[in-house]
Amino acid sequence: MKNLVKFILILVLFSAFVGPSYSQSTILKNSIGLQLNPYFDTQLFQGNSLKTVFAVRYTYYLNEHLSFGPEFSGNYIKALNDPSDFNGSAINLGFFVRYTLLPDSRIRPFLEFSPYYSFGHVKSSVIQSDEGVGIDSWNNRFTGYIAPGITLVSKSERITLDLFYKFTNTGFVNGNKSAFSYRLNFNF
């Protein structure tokens, strides 16, 4: 964790010296952000389970520092070499607010807050539960995350890559209350 804080601090200081990006004559006020990837952990590399993470978001830039918009995200977990036929999923519906530092730089530090409502489902026909064999459970809750990060900006400013570290009170697909994430954005 100390190394992550040092890394983010170095990037923020470095971005202050990089200089402004080359702005186009038109201001880009909207973007679509996409994420679709497997979660990389030991269970994936051992072939035990596949955890797919996805996110789609629309961003409106209110000004050069403040942006916000709706977000649809979640994950799907499938056991691969396990006779328990375990499947789990989470669908998150919410919005986000982001404050960006150094908006004219090619490396832009930011802080993001995202409250959302999460719909979770777990199903298996052979797992033992208090009710007997098999489980088919739903849980819904209001939660969210806060995330410091950086945005890497292309020369044309049409494509950006967000790299951020999310913190929550409930847990992510990795089972922890923090996780590294990224998102590719198309600006227009």
Side-chain angles (χ1 to χ4, degrees):
M1 188 63 166
K2 286 183 182 181
N3 290 335
L4 177 66
V5 171
K6 288 178 187 177
F7 178 72
I8 290 173
L9 183 61
I10 289 170
L11 282 175
V12 169
L13 292 174
F14 176 74
S15 65
F17 298 107
V18 168
S21 63
Y22 298 97
S23 298
Q24 298 180 345
S25 59
T26 60
I27 297 172
L28 305 175
K29 299 282 284 181
N30 305 285
S31 76
I32 300 291
L34 304 171
Q35 177 183 8
L36 178 62
N37 62 281
Y39 180 75
F40 298 106
D41 62 358
T42 56
Q43 292 180 358
L44 174 68
F45 293 115
Q46 292 173 352
N48 296 331
S49 70
L50 175 64
K51 301 172 184 173
T52 304
V53 179
F54 61 89
V56 176
R57 71 165 39 170
Y58 165 76
T59 304
Y60 178 76
Y61 295 92
L62 191 60
N63 58 40
E64 62 184 9
H65 292 285
L66 193 60
S67 59
F68 63 93
E71 182 174 47
F72 172 73
S73 64
N75 61 68
Y76 178 75
I77 303 170
K78 170 83 174 146
L80 299 175
N81 292 336
D82 191 346
S84 69
D85 74 343
F86 176 84
N87 290 310
S89 63
I91 302 291
N92 307 318
L93 299 172
F95 70 94
F96 69 96
V97 175
R98 175 184 288 191
Y99 186 81
T100 302
L101 300 169
L102 307 172
D104 291 331
S105 177
R106 296 287 295 274
I107 299 173
R108 300 175 183 168
F110 66 83
L111 182 63
E112 182 173 293
F113 171 68
S114 177
Y116 57 86
Y117 198 77
S118 182
F119 304 90
H121 182 244
V122 174
K123 184 176 182 180
S124 175
S125 62
V126 295
I127 290 180
Q128 295 284 339
S129 67
D130 293 338
E131 293 82 31
V133 177
I135 186 172
D136 190 1
S137 172
W138 288 87
N139 65 358
N140 305 321
R141 62 181 168 218
F142 184 74
T143 186
Y145 68 82
I146 189 164
I150 60 169
T151 298
L152 305 175
V153 181
S154 69
K155 186 173 181 179
S156 69
E157 296 188 12
R158 295 254 180 225
I159 298 174
T160 59
L161 178 65
D162 294 336
L163 305 171
F164 50 105
Y165 203 78
K166 303 191 299 188
F167 298 92
T168 186
N169 62 338
T170 55
F172 294 111
V173 69
N174 62 1
N176 297 328
K177 292 185 177 186
S178 63
F180 174 76
S181 190
Y182 59 90
R183 189 162 296 121
L184 187 63
N185 303 294
F186 302 94
N187 303 307
F188 56 96

